[in-house]
Structure formats: structure tokens, C-alpha cells
Amino acid sequence: MLEELRHRVVVAGEYYWVHGDDRLPEGKRRPLPSSPDELWADVFHVQRKGEEPEVCAVQPVTAAEARRVTGTERLTREHVQAVQGLARERGYGRCAVLCDDQGTP
């Protein structure tokens, strides 16, 4: 089920693609990946709790961060804009599991 969701998100382009950022010179921009494999080829790994942030890695939003910026640990699509500010530096990604209206991831 998670693999299917990843595929749908990538195909729909429902994520921020740093390599397509309009602040980059036109010659350095790249189109959105067309598959999860292409997207994950650009991510070194998802960081574990306690690891120092590193470039091209994705760090999960912690429960404390989620509570601080949204008031809840169960994030939904409506919270995406609030948590986007947690990715403060270019080249560092953040990720979070989003829940539907019933609270199901």
C-alpha cells in the first residue's frame, strides 16, 4: 500500500523538487522524476532519529515539531504548508506521514 501511494505521489508531482526550483539557473534545473525509483536515486537515505542532518538526505518530522507547528502529531494534507518551513536549508529534505480525515496514515 505504501509503495502504491509513493507511486501516485510521484506520478502526480505532488512534492517539492529542489532540482526544478526556479531560483536555480535554467541550465541546472531538471524535470520532475517520472517514477519513485528516479526520485529516490537523488535521496541518499532517510535519516534515523539522532543522526545529524546531511545534504541529500530526508529527515522525518518529529512528533514534537509537528505539535509545535500544527498543534497535533497526526498530520494531514492541510498541515503540509505549516510543516514546509521545517526544511530550512536547500539540499535537506523533510518528510512526514500524512493521515486522512479518519486519522489513517
Side-chain angles (χ1 to χ4, degrees), residues 2 5-6 9 14-16 40 46-47 57-67 69-70 72-87 92-100 104-105:
L2 183 58
L5 176 61
R6 284 182 182 152
V9 167
E14 294 181 350
Y15 59 93
Y16 174 72
W40 283 102
V46 176
Q47 292 182 242
V58 177
Q59 184 181 37
V61 172
T62 67
E65 288 174 318
R67 277 191 312 274
V69 299
T70 68
T72 183
E73 293 178 18
R74 300 200 55 88
L75 302 174
T76 66
R77 286 181 182 264
E78 289 75 35
H79 297 115
V80 169
Q81 191 167 3
V83 297
Q84 281 181 333
L86 296 174
Y92 295 84
R94 300 303 301 269
C95 63
V97 174
L98 301 180
C99 299
D100 63 17
T104 305

Side-chain angles (χ1 to χ4, degrees), residues 33-68:
S34 61
S35 72
D37 289 339
E38 282 184 37
L39 176 62
W40 283 102
D42 254 42
V43 176
F44 293 153
H45 74 278
V46 176
Q47 292 182 242
R48 291 176 182 84
K49 187 176 182 175
E51 283 185 317
E52 288 296 316
E54 65 181 72
V55 175
C56 292
V58 177
Q59 184 181 37
V61 172
T62 67
E65 288 174 318
R67 277 191 312 274
R68 181 171 47 83

